[in-house]
């Protein structure tokens, strides 16, 4: 292993001090690149060295500055030097190099004393002292003490004059300097820089700058008013102090003389004269007297002259009186009817100018207004004998309808007030129009309705604003309401229910249904029809779809339930009717109204039955009627009783006609034939007797219509209770009977009572009689066969669509 030399050095901070620590033990630790280590202890011993003394006060950091008052006694302490010897407790000695100071006589405590009495005005204001501190071995340390003398106020201020006079003019602006008073102080080397100036008494018009001694105007001085109008001279004393708390003070008397200037303009009261004179006033009559004065104290500044400056066309009518130039008199003709000789609005304006004789020639102006009062001679007249205005019925409240204008030939023209004194009333509004009383503009206060009132005839009056003799004129105003499309199409009733078979041919008018609509403000040619909802697979369309108030529901595409193309059997169509048929009018129509109709369509899919019968089953129909009403509705019992009486009368009449019809039939021609063809003779089965009961709720409000799928007759129903009745009550009774028998034959019920089938209806009726009436044909004519689609199987009729809360299609027959 190679040798390794290590060197230990002394750092600069902190420095080695024997008195603080005399030896150090250093542990040296060595590590090579293989990880081998070794350590050794190095002991360092310090040797003591004799050091010079050290300052313990601010002299250790540099020069020390001491402030010393003048006029202090000899041997007054200026500064005390503090030092120490770091080696041992030796006795230190102190010395200074300046004759102005001394060291304490024992020379050991370091106290610096004044060697004389200092005067700030005569001696140097600052001097330096070199202080030396030695130990017993002769080692020393030096420092500098800088002594600054402080001036002491020991002299009195002095004014050069005992009295000072200033001559100023009035109306000096505030903060203006009048003059300056100056005192001197020996303590300030003959200057007044440190003196404070004050006034002996408070004065709101004058003040003094406490530093500069400048006399300043603190408020505007008006020589023409008190206190200066009677006493134009102000006198007071000013003091100069060398200390804010008192000290030494000197006084001087200040006198201020105020001179008058021409600072007031002539003042006239009142400044405006407004005079009304009749047109018949005589020449030479005094109109007005001008009264003026000048407030200046000096007579030379209070003299003025008066002159008249007439306005347009007034120079030949008015002038100052030659004897008294402060009076205005009439010198011309003021005939009001001579319009060309009058000023605007019949008012004459003149200016009377009052001017100071002394500069700067202030002026005051008096304005005189002379109004010639006219005579109201003419009635107002409208610019037209009558007015005609047109306005759309869509106009909003506040819309301007038009404007009427009346004129007055009097000069000057009198203001007119317009008012509506007749016409303008309509349904629900006592007054549809309002007129601006000053401009004559007519506005709407409610929205008009063409369908209610198409034309209004108004009477407008214009009245002059003349409290003595108001004259009036009237005119007629015709306001025509222009029709607009604000009424929607209406179709009644708004609900329909239809039933069709799935094999209906394309193009067929479904059960003869047609929709009839009206529009109060549109022609039938403007109506347009569209199915907006529920037309699944587009099976239905309306024809015509535009240009007519009547449209039919047509099957557009056939149904296909066999292959699964169609799955829905209940169609709820929403038909939208709009009055915006663009084929019949302008393409720029902006207002469109819409109506809606709901049509429910049920598609019947006949289902073959596996049961074969050889005889027509006997069915007994039991029709029960149940009336529901609210107990608190007093009129319901009366209506129910009335309906029951009418129903009993109708049933009795129908029974009489049916019995008469059956008796008139030849017994040899009555044959019972089955509704379906038999495939082969079978064993005769036991005859069944069925009872059908149908329960309905009667209600007197029928708001829907539907078509019976068998007879094609139209019946009405209530969407609330489900009650039904034939729409055309003038059909023969046998038509109603056939429709009832055929319709009720489609609704067998599964409920049985004593072996009979029950369904709800409004009365009991034997089925055989109904079937005999149905199967009766002249000359034993064979009834029509069932559709070939069913073959020889029994045809089971589909269920009839039920409106809301309905259980029978022939409830009120």
């Amino acid at each position: 292993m190679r040798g390794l030399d290590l060197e230990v050095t002394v750092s600069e901070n902190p420095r080695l001090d024997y008195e603080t620590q005399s030896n150090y033990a250093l542990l040296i630790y060595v590590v090579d690149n293989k990880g081998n280590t070794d350590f050794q202890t190095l002991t360092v011993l310090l040797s003591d060295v004799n050091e010079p003394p050290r300052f313990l006060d601010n002299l250790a950091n540099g020069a020390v500055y001491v402030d010393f008052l003048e006029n202090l006694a000899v041997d007054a302490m200026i500064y005390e030097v503090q030092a120490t010897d770091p080696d041992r407790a030796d006795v230190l000695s102190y010395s200074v190099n300046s004759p102005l100071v001394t060291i304490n006589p024992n020379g050991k405590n370091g106290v610096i004393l004044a060697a004389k009495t200092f005067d700030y005005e005569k001696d140097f204001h600052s001097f330096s002292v070199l202080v030396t501190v030695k130990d017993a071995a002769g080692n020393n340390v030096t420092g500098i003490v800088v002594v600054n003398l402080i001036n002491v106020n020991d002299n009195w201020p002095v004014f050069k004059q005992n009295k000072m006079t200033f001559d100023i003019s009035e109306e000096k602006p505030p903060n203006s300097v009048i003059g300056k008073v100056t005192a001197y102080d020996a303590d300030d080397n003959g200057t007044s820089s440190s003196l404070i100036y004050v006034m002996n008494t408070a004065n709101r018009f004058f003040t003094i700058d406490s530093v500069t001694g400048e006399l300043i105007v603190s408020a505007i001085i008006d020589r023409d008013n008190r206190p200066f109008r009677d006493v134009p001279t102000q006198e007071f004393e000013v003091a100069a102090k060398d200390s804010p708390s008192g000290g030494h003070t000197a006084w001087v008397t200040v006198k201020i003389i105020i001179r008058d200037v021409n600072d007031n303009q002539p003042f006239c009261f009142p400044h405006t004269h407004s005079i009304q004179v009749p047109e018949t006033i005589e020449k030479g009559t005094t109109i007005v007297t001008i009264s003026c004065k000048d407030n200046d104290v000096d007579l030379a500044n209070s003299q003025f002259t008066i002159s008249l400056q007439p306005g347009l066309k007034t120079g030949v009518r008015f002038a100052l009186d030659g004897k008294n130039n402060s009076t205005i008199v009439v010198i011309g003709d003021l005939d009001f009817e001579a319009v060309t000789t009058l000023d605007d609005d019949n008012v004459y304006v003149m200016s009377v100018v009052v001017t100071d004789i002394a500069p700067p020639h202030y002026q005051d102006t008096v304005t005189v207004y002379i109004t010639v009062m006219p005579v109201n001679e003419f009635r107002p007249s409208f610019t037209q004998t009558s007015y005609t205005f047109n306005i759309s019925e869509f106009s909003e409240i506040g819309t301007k309808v038009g404007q009427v204008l009346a004129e007055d030939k009097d000069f000057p023209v009198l203001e007119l007030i317009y008012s509506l004194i007749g016409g303008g009333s309509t349904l629900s509004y006592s007054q549809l129009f309002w007129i601006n009383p000053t401009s004559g503009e007519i506005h709407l206060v409610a929205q008009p309705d063409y369908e209610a009132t198409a034309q209004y005839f108004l009477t407008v009056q214009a009245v002059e604003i003349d409290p003595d003799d108001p004259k009036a004129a009237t005119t007629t105003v015709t306001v025509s309401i222009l029709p607009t499309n604000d009424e929607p199409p209406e179709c009644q009733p708004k609900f329909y229910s239809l039933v069709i078979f799935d094999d209906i041919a394309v193009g067929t008018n479904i059960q003869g249904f047609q929709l009839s609509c009206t529009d109060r403000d549109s022609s039938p040619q403007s109506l347009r029809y569209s199915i907006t909802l529920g037309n699944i697979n587009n099976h239905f369309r309306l024809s015509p779809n535009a240009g007519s108030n009547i449209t039919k529901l047509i099957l557009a595409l056939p149904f296909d339930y066999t292959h699964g193309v169609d799955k829905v059997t209940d169609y709820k169509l929403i038909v939208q009717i709009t009055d915006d048929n663009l084929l019949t009018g302008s393409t720029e129509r902006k207002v469109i109204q819409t109506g809606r109709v709901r049509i429910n369509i049920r598609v019947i899919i006949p289902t073959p039955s596996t049961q074969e019968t050889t005889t027509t089953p006997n069915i007994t129909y039991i029709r029960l009627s149940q009336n529901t009403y609210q107990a608190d509705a007093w009129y319901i019992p009366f209506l129910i009783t009335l309906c029951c009486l009418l129903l009993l009368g109708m049933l009795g009449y129908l029974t009489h006609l049916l019995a008469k019809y059956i008796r008139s039939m030849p017994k040899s021609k009555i044959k019972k034939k089955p509704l379906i063809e038999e495939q082969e003779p079978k064993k005769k089965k036991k005859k069944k007797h069925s009872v059908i009961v149908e329960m309905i709720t009667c209600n007197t409000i029928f708001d829907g219509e539907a078509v019976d799928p068998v007879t094609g007759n139209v019946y009405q129903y209530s969407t609330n209770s489900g009650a039904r009745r034939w729409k055309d009550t003038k059909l023969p009774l046998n038509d109603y009977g056939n429709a009832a028998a055929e319709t009720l034959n489609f609704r067998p019920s599964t409920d049985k009572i004593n072996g009979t089938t029950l369904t709800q209806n409004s009365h009991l009726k034997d089925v055989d009689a109904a079937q005999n009436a149905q199967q009766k044909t002249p000359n034993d004519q064979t009834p029509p066969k069932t559709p070939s689609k069913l073959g020889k199987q029994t045809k089971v009729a589909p269920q009839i669509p039920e409106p809301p809360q309905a259980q029978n299609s022939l409830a009120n027959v």
Side-chain angles (χ1 to χ4, degrees), residues 620-624 691-694 758-761 763-764:
T620 300
Y621 293 89
I622 301 176
R623 296 185 179 180
L624 301 180
V691 179
I692 299 176
V693 181
E694 293 186 0
L758 297 180
T759 183
Q760 296 179 355
N761 206 330
H763 66 278
L764 296 175

Side-chain angles (χ1 to χ4, degrees), residues 394 485-491 494 517-519 521-522 526-532 574-581 589-597:
F394 269 7
N485 187 18
D486 63 339
E487 299 287 345
E490 292 290 339
C491 303
K494 295 183 178 180
C517 301
T518 59
D519 195 321
D521 56 8
S522 300
S526 67
L527 299 180
R528 181 165 56 91
Y529 308 89
S530 61
I531 302 176
T532 60
I574 300 298
V575 178
Q576 178 173 284
I577 305 96
T578 59
D579 53 10
D580 64 338
N581 186 3
R589 297 188 59 168
K590 298 180 180 179
V591 181
I592 299 173
Q593 300 294 339
T594 303
R596 289 187 177 182
V597 172

Side-chain angles (χ1 to χ4, degrees), residues 688-759:
K688 295 182 179 180
H689 183 75
S690 300
V691 179
I692 299 176
V693 181
E694 293 186 0
M695 176 64 72
I696 59 96
T697 300
C698 294
N699 196 309
T700 58
I701 299 175
F702 297 91
D703 54 358
E705 293 186 0
V707 179
D708 187 80
V710 178
T711 63
N713 295 330
V714 179
Y715 63 90
Q716 297 177 327
Y717 63 86
S718 172
T719 57
N720 294 326
S721 64
R724 307 183 186 186
R725 68 180 180 187
W726 294 117
K727 181 177 181 181
D728 190 356
T729 57
K730 296 182 181 181
L731 292 176
L733 180 62
N734 57 351
D735 293 339
Y736 287 104
N738 293 339
E742 294 176 0
T743 302
L744 294 175
N745 198 24
F746 294 146
R747 291 288 307 275
S749 174
T750 57
D751 298 332
K752 295 185 178 181
I753 301 177
N754 297 328
T756 62
T757 303
L758 297 180
T759 183

Side-chain angles (χ1 to χ4, degrees), residues 339-510:
V339 179
T340 56
T341 63
L342 295 178
D343 203 351
D344 292 341
D345 297 327
N346 307 319
V347 177
Y348 298 91
V349 181
M350 294 173 290
S351 297
V352 178
V353 180
V354 181
T355 308
D356 270 340
I357 297 176
H361 307 294
Y362 289 114
Q363 293 182 343
D364 193 13
T365 303
V366 177
T367 304
V368 179
Y369 296 89
I370 300 176
T371 303
V372 179
M373 300 304 296
V375 178
N376 187 7
E377 299 179 274
F378 303 97
R379 288 185 176 274
S381 61
F382 284 90
T383 57
Q384 299 178 208
T385 56
S386 63
Y387 296 83
T388 302
F389 303 115
N390 298 323
I391 190 169
S392 171
E393 66 175 324
F394 269 7
S395 300
E396 299 179 352
I397 298 175
T399 302
K400 177 181 175 182
V401 177
Q403 183 178 15
V404 298
L405 185 63
E407 297 176 344
D408 187 4
K409 295 181 180 179
D410 289 311
F411 190 84
V413 178
L414 295 176
E415 185 178 355
L416 301 177
I417 297 297
Y418 299 91
S419 61
L420 288 173
I421 61 174
S425 62
T426 184
L427 184 63
S428 301
Y429 295 101
S430 60
Q431 190 59 258
L432 189 66
F433 305 93
W434 171 82
I435 188 169
N436 189 311
T438 56
S439 65
E441 293 182 351
I442 301 175
H443 297 264
L444 287 174
V445 297
Q447 187 170 0
D449 186 1
Y450 173 82
E451 287 72 25
T453 305
Q455 198 171 52
Y456 296 88
F457 300 96
L458 312 178
T459 302
V460 178
Q461 183 183 59
V463 182
E464 295 174 340
I465 300 181
D466 186 352
D468 299 326
D469 185 19
K471 293 181 172 60
T474 59
T475 187
T476 58
V477 177
T478 303
V479 181
S480 299
I481 308 302
L482 301 179
T484 55
N485 187 18
D486 63 339
E487 299 287 345
E490 292 290 339
C491 303
Q492 292 294 338
K494 295 183 178 180
F495 306 98
Y496 291 82
S497 294
L498 304 174
V499 177
I500 61 175
F501 290 103
D502 65 338
D503 59 350
I504 186 173
V506 174
T508 302
N509 180 196
I510 298 176

